[in-house]
Amino acid sequence: MLHSEDHRRLEMAIRCLEALCVTAKSFWRDILDAGGIPALLELMRSTRPALQRMAAAVVCHISERTPVCEALVRYGAVPVLVNLLGSQQAELHSRCALILADLAGHSDQYQSLIAQQGGVAPLVRLLGSDLHDVLVNTVRCIKALCVRSPGNQTAVALVGGIPQLVELLTVRSEVLQEEVCAALAELAKGHRENQDTICGVGAVAPLVLILRGRKIAAQVTAARALEAIADHNPAIQARFLKKSAAKHLLRLLKVFQVEAREQGAVSLWALAGHTLKQQRLMAEHIGYHFILELILSSSDRMQYVGCQAVIALSRDSRSHQDGLCKENGVPPLVRLLRGSRTTESTLLSVIRSLGILCIGGAHTNNPNSQRVIAEEQAIPTLLELVKHQESLQVKVQVAQTLACVLLGNQDLQTTFWEKEEFTYETVLELLRVPDQDICLEAGYALSLFAYNNTTQQAAILQNGGIPIAMYEPFLNSRNEMERAKAAFQIVVLAKVITDTDQVTLSARGVTVLVDLLQSTNPNTVVLTAQLLASLAHTRAGIPDAIVTMGAVGHLCAHLYSEEEEVRTASSSALGYLTFNRHAHRLLLVECRNTPSMYNLLTQHLIEDAKISHIFTAEFERQKIVGLPSLSLEINGGPPVPQRNKKGTFLCLSAGHFGRTSSAPVLQLQPQRSRTANPKVRLQGEGPTHSSHTKI
């Protein structure tokens, strides 16, 4: 009947097919088997608008089926549908957009085919329609075209689709708002240019307005869009935070639906960014109660966010470590550790969070959290993972966490080595795997076991030690982070590494680290300063070597960095170095000449950092007596010299009395040893003010 020349018979046949498709869900198979797809497409190619609309309606009811999609593409439906998007019939626009959405959702090949046939531009033009159904189906089609398709994401942006979509966020239609939010999420996902464009045309305010509403479904889709737009984009994260988006997202954690809570948690963590300060602020905003609820939930994504929040709170913060232990935060983590359904990414986060709960800044330990973790029987579970887990990443992370739980705790170490069946051979085997990242992380695990512990250093050496050849690729790597990690490890493991003497290894490691302080990469400087802070309270001679190589000058210069994390890490390293006499004198001279440096140093010391009380008392005493630079200013002399972030003076020092500010700029030079021997000295020059055990 679909091939009949009688218009009425043809119309009735199409109406019957549509009715059958609606009433009988399985009727699509009969249409497909009877050759209905090519017949319907022929009607859609006709010049009769009524037949086109009815044929499109039938196809709409069956196009969500995979065999139907394949048949449509096989018989050339895509160019027909794209062509009909340019017709004057709104009803046809809506149905063709819906069919194209089904095709795009079926296959990435079909996504590309629709774009190649010129389907993107007419779809974007339909966003100017006044009809609700046309808008909804068009937005759905654009969303389907952009799923995991960077090319289509760019194409939609190039033809001006983003401003029109953002404008639709203000339309008072819950269904349309949800679809637009979903489309914006797909447009922005992994696409930095689209993220900036979406934010630039004013999407932040309407998205936050939707989050403030009371419609859970709309809030969830808006949260999904926020997650995609703000992901790895600090500027956009700041704009959402300024609009109090985090407060509204937090409400989603209180609803009953798991999907809503999950999306709220993931979106909150997207706003946390990648800096420790911002992540900690977000974790504090979430609070202990909700963090533990996330860990205890059945959702893998919520568990992951909960673990990441624990890591952010616990890193270098003993108060939060103790607070989480007090709020019974360890048992849920141990339960996840034992769970058979815990995914590998979440398992790695759980293992890592347990380790970070045990150590503070500069590799100091927290006996309280170590005791709680041991009492919860986490250590036997970790050992089981080492034995039975196939993932090398899990194995090496477990080794690091075990070392953190035992770090600096003599009682736990004695119990562990007496009762548990663990040998260093397990970790040493990881040094020999082809994956270089695993090798470096395994070396760090051994460094944690050996840190300030001669007994364990001897035990590692008895198991064969570590050949220096293992570290050569990392020490000569172009990757600065790898060089810094390797340099730290060869200093800590100097007694364990074979083929090279301890003095040479220590000197080489310190030299590499001090050189990396001059890096232009802030992340490298942060890591290097943190590692130097840890080395500043190890065995005697290492702090003197650090000072001799000029670390004090470089760290002082970094106190003026634009990056807060750089200033914080540099302050921590300088704080530990004040226990060394030589560093104490050099830093005191710097602070006397530039009093603002002392303020920067003390203001950026983290909670777990240490600074010599003798140093601070001496500076305060000299300040009361009168610093030379301030006395000169008071009496009409030149201003106190200030440095920029590169360590360069911006004006003359107070000692150059009588010169004008137009004098040549002075450059801060690295500090050198007062000894005649220019080589690095690894023997202590005398007793230090440090109360730390020297090994």
Side-chain angles (χ1 to χ4, degrees), residues 56-57 59-64 69 72 81 85 91-105 114 123 126 133-134 136-142 144 179:
V59 176
C60 275
H61 290 302
I62 62 175
S63 60
E64 60 185 7
C69 288
L72 285 169
L81 293 166
L85 291 176
E91 193 174 351
L92 202 54
H93 294 162
S94 178
R95 291 170 180 173
C96 289
L98 184 58
I99 297 167
L100 286 171
D102 289 336
L103 292 176
I114 294 169
L123 283 168
L126 290 180
D133 289 346
V134 174
V136 170
N137 288 332
T138 301
V139 173
R140 283 176 181 167
C141 187
I142 291 174
E179 293 296 338

Side-chain angles (χ1 to χ4, degrees), residues 78 103-104 107-120 144-145 148-149 151-152:
V78 173
L103 292 176
S107 166
D108 55 355
Q109 294 179 345
Y110 296 170
Q111 286 179 328
S112 302
L113 179 61
I114 294 169
Q116 290 167 7
Q117 294 291 331
V120 174
L145 284 172
R148 294 184 297 277
S149 178
N152 287 349

Side-chain angles (χ1 to χ4, degrees), residues 26-40:
S26 62
F27 196 71
W28 65 270
R29 172 62 69 181
D30 299 318
I31 296 176
L32 185 63
D33 294 341
I37 299 300
L40 289 168

Side-chain angles (χ1 to χ4, degrees), residues 368-400:
N368 178 48
S369 55
Q370 289 174 324
R371 175 186 57 79
V372 173
I373 290 172
E375 289 176 352
E376 291 295 329
Q377 297 298 308
I379 293 177
T381 306
L382 290 169
L383 290 173
E384 286 296 315
L385 288 172
V386 170
K387 294 176 184 177
H388 303 297
Q389 261 285 341
E390 295 182 0
S391 169
L392 296 179
Q393 286 186 323
V394 171
K395 283 178 178 288
V396 76
Q397 191 64 62
V398 167
Q400 291 180 7

Side-chain angles (χ1 to χ4, degrees), residues 293-368:
E293 280 198 358
L294 293 175
I295 296 172
L296 289 167
S297 73
S298 58
S299 164
D300 174 67
R301 299 177 78 194
M302 293 168 70
Q303 293 168 356
Y304 178 81
V305 171
C307 293
Q308 291 299 115
V310 169
I311 291 171
L313 285 176
S314 303
R315 189 185 294 280
D316 301 339
S317 175
R318 180 164 297 194
S319 62
H320 278 306
Q321 291 170 356
D322 292 338
L324 285 164
C325 290
K326 184 178 179 182
E327 294 292 328
N328 293 318
V330 174
L333 290 171
V334 176
R335 195 181 84 169
L336 272 183
L337 195 66
R338 295 171 180 154
S340 59
R341 297 182 179 179
T342 306
T343 62
E344 184 173 323
S345 60
T346 301
L347 180 61
L348 286 168
S349 295
V350 173
I351 297 168
R352 190 172 171 219
S353 61
L354 288 172
I356 289 177
L357 276 169
C358 296
I359 60 173
H363 289 84
T364 54
N365 70 311
N366 186 332
N368 178 48

Side-chain angles (χ1 to χ4, degrees), residues 637-638 652 654-660:
L652 280 175
H656 290 260
F657 191 80
R659 293 191 182 182
T660 64

